[in-house]
Amino acid sequence: MIVRELGEFDGVLSENDDLMSIVTESRSQEISDDSFIPRSYFDLALKRIEWYAKKKNDRNFDHKQYDFLFNPDINKFDVIAFFLLCQAIGVKYGPNSRESRVLVESQGKLIENRLGKLSKIERNVLVTNILNSLLSSAHIKWTFFEDLISSKKLKLHELILDSGEIILDKDDFLERFSHKIQGRKPEKMYEALIGDRIKELVMIKMVMQNTENYIRQVGERSNREIEPNPILLELADKISEVLLASVQTFGQGSGGYGGSVKASALNPKAFPPCVKKVMEGMKSGGRNDAIIMFLTPFISYARLYPAVFSENITKQISDVDPTLSIIQNEILPLIFGAAERCSPPLFEDQPQDKVNLNAKLGFGMHQNPELKNEGETTWYTPMSCEKVKIHLPSLCKPDETCKKIGNPLSYYNRKIWVVKKESKAESAVEEDIKD
């Protein structure tokens, strides 16, 4: 389709006057800087990814820089940009990559935001039309959504089922349930239980799943067939650069004490007393909760996203550790070492807890952390001091710093700040002596 539209693939890189005209004429578009304006299909594809990365991570995100993405006139160009992204990511990284996850998530979020720009009637008509094109039958068995449910994109409890069939259509709902509903109007029950909300949810999740499936097909085909077009490989590299820039700018953690707390190698000297105690190994009961529930979130956030509470932005681990190299080479060895020092060693008699550990990092109930499973569970944030006192009281032996904070991670950030401040002061004294 791309080649048919462009004539030659090289057209992807060419400046497109129609595209630039649509962008600059978008009602609220910021045009004070040339960098805000995509000039080609290639640029537009990157802007799509950049929009999602900044919207997710930048507290100062300015929607006016990306208003063109919500201009209906850009649809034709946007479709081509979408397929460019899928093909670039498919041939270079495959479906089980951070780049694939970001594209799939961004597609869902873009649809959600675009629907928000429409009137209720326009929204309903569009969602109904898209659903009709995606669903093969009016009667849908829940097993049709097996991929969505198994990948946690859609949860079974969000749907209304009857005899194994998912109910989305209003007339279908009324026919099946009207005679069973007492004391309330069946129409209102339909709106409360299904209505536009569930139909939109199903539509968006199906588009996301289809996007992932298409990336997988592209990846499989590229492994069997000819060498990928260099433009797609170049685009894939640029996508990674956009995501890396997002990590370096917004994902390393900032703010906190003196605005200087950023992700860096762990300093065990700054650990609070409760963490030091677990690192030495638990000698009695509570090993599981201490290692899995307490230490795992603390170590992972302290290393990768220490500003989680001050920034209050939800992230996944691959947002701050794209290749999972820090997880594999720094974080897991520390946690496994603490587990090994327990009496008895935690994973020797309870190896299944490695699965629970991965679940607390957001990688689902699997033996090893892998990008393809990320998002199946939530990356747990560190326990507060109050929760530690309630669930693991033997760990709480507070020192003077503990009295000033409410979370072990805040203790760590404060100590790191103090250490850096003292180090600067010592350096200044040494310089004075030299002078």
Side-chain angles (χ1 to χ4, degrees):
M1 187 194 73
I2 293 172
V3 173
R4 187 168 66 243
E5 174 68 27
L6 299 173
E8 296 290 340
F9 212 97
D10 290 347
V12 164
L13 297 169
S14 303
E15 286 200 357
N16 189 306
D17 292 337
D18 292 337
L19 169 62
M20 288 190 285
S21 175
I22 291 170
V23 171
T24 54
E25 291 174 9
S26 297
R27 190 171 56 180
S28 302
Q29 178 62 40
E30 175 64 68
I31 56 174
S32 61
D33 190 318
D34 282 350
S35 67
F36 298 151
I37 304 170
R39 297 176 176 278
S40 64
Y41 290 105
F42 191 94
D43 288 349
L44 181 60
L46 288 175
K47 283 292 182 186
R48 266 174 144 261
I49 295 294
E50 185 183 275
W51 167 80
Y52 178 70
K54 286 190 175 181
K55 184 176 175 61
K56 183 178 180 183
N57 298 314
D58 183 3
R59 283 185 295 180
N60 299 315
F61 173 77
D62 183 359
H63 69 89
K64 292 182 179 178
Q65 294 179 14
Y66 303 91
D67 192 62
F68 60 84
L69 289 173
F70 305 95
N71 182 343
D73 294 338
I74 207 166
N75 285 352
K76 182 184 76 171
F77 303 93
D78 188 61
V79 168
I80 293 175
F82 167 76
F83 280 101
L84 277 173
L85 287 169
C86 290
Q87 293 187 15
I89 290 172
V91 299
K92 181 74 181 279
Y93 304 112
N96 302 322
S97 62
R98 180 189 180 221
E99 288 76 9
S100 173
R101 175 178 66 77
V102 170
L103 174 57
V104 170
E105 290 177 357
S106 69
Q107 185 64 15
K109 193 57 71 177
L110 200 53
I111 296 172
E112 189 180 313
N113 279 259
R114 285 172 172 168
L115 287 175
K117 304 282 185 183
L118 303 178
S119 69
K120 184 175 175 59
I121 293 175
E122 291 173 329
R123 193 167 169 152
N124 181 274
V125 170
L126 182 63
V127 170
T128 300
N129 288 340
I130 295 176
L131 270 179
N132 289 340
S133 69
L134 293 172
L135 298 173
S136 57
S137 162
H139 300 285
I140 319 150
K141 289 286 186 184
W142 74 268
T143 49
F144 180 80
F145 294 119
E146 186 176 357
D147 287 346
L148 282 172
I149 292 169
S150 63
S151 64
K152 311 289 185 186
K153 290 187 179 71
L154 195 63
K155 297 179 176 63
L156 206 53
H157 68 77
E158 294 172 322
L159 305 170
I160 300 298
L161 280 78
D162 182 42
S163 302
E165 294 180 352
I166 292 174
I167 312 302
L168 293 175
D169 181 71
K170 186 174 182 178
D171 292 338
D172 191 19
F173 176 87
L174 296 177
E175 184 178 337
R176 291 176 189 246
F177 299 115
S178 286
H179 66 286
K180 298 178 182 178
I181 298 172
Q182 305 292 327
R184 294 192 66 178
K185 290 184 177 179
E187 291 82 359
K188 289 193 174 181
M189 286 295 290
Y190 170 80
E191 294 300 331
L193 296 173
I194 303 174
D196 292 340
R197 181 179 63 85
I198 294 298
K199 290 168 70 174
E200 287 178 11
L201 176 70
V202 170
M203 184 273 284
I204 291 172
K205 300 299 182 184
M206 288 190 72
V207 172
M208 292 172 67
Q209 185 63 55
N210 287 354
T211 302
E212 186 176 311
N213 293 343
Y214 179 63
I215 294 171
R216 178 175 288 103
Q217 291 169 10
V218 171
E220 291 171 351
R221 199 163 59 236
S222 69
N223 289 332
R224 299 192 305 266
E225 298 175 1
I226 58 176
E227 193 73 16
N229 189 297
I231 293 176
L232 291 177
L233 297 177
E234 182 185 350
L235 179 60
D237 289 339
K238 292 290 184 185
I239 292 167
S240 284
E241 288 176 15
V242 168
L243 297 181
L244 181 60
S246 175
V247 169
Q248 292 173 336
T249 307
F250 311 112
Q252 297 289 336
S254 59
Y257 299 96
S260 59
V261 180
K262 294 185 178 181
S264 60
L266 288 167
N267 182 351
K269 291 181 180 177
F271 287 169
C274 49
V275 173
K276 288 179 179 176
K277 187 173 178 59
V278 179
M279 291 299 292
E280 291 169 358
M282 298 295 287
K283 307 300 181 187
S284 55
R287 289 176 310 156
N288 307 55
D289 284 353
I291 298 293
I292 306 299
M293 300 292 291
F294 173 74
L295 186 65
T296 297
F298 174 85
I299 291 291
S300 56
Y301 275 95
R303 174 63 184 89
L304 295 171
Y305 187 22
V308 56
F309 295 126
S310 59
E311 291 191 355
N312 196 27
I313 296 173
T314 301
K315 296 182 187 296
Q316 294 183 331
I317 281 181
S318 65
D319 289 328
V320 286
D321 181 16
T323 63
L324 306 188
S325 60
I326 298 176
I327 280 287
Q328 296 286 3
N329 301 325
E330 298 182 38
I331 293 171
L332 290 181
L334 276 178
I335 298 170
F336 285 0
E340 179 67 22
R341 287 188 286 276
C342 289
S343 181
L346 178 60
F347 296 137
E348 279 190 14
D349 61 335
Q350 297 189 39
Q352 71 277 9
D353 270 336
K354 287 185 179 178
V355 173
N356 293 330
L357 186 157
N358 287 323
K360 298 299 177 290
L361 294 172
F363 295 100
M365 301 297 288
H366 301 278
Q367 196 66 31
N368 297 301
E370 295 185 66
L371 286 171
K372 67 180 180 181
N373 302 319
E374 191 174 28
E376 291 184 14
T377 49
T378 301
W379 183 15
Y380 272 44
T381 50
M383 275 188 189
S384 67
C385 294
E386 286 304 309
K387 284 189 177 178
V388 173
K389 289 175 186 174
I390 293 170
H391 299 291
L392 295 162
S394 65
L395 295 183
C396 192
K397 307 293 181 189
D399 62 13
E400 282 301 310
T401 304
C402 291
K403 296 175 183 176
K404 303 170 185 173
I405 52 90
N407 191 290
L409 185 61
S410 303
Y411 181 111
Y412 179 73
N413 289 339
R414 183 180 181 84
K415 279 286 190 181
I416 289 291
W417 177 72
V418 170
V419 168
K420 287 182 178 176
K421 188 178 177 183
E422 290 174 348
S423 177
K424 285 182 180 177
E426 289 174 2
S427 298
V429 170
E430 290 174 0
E431 288 297 321
D432 288 343
I433 293 173
K434 289 178 183 177
D435 293 341

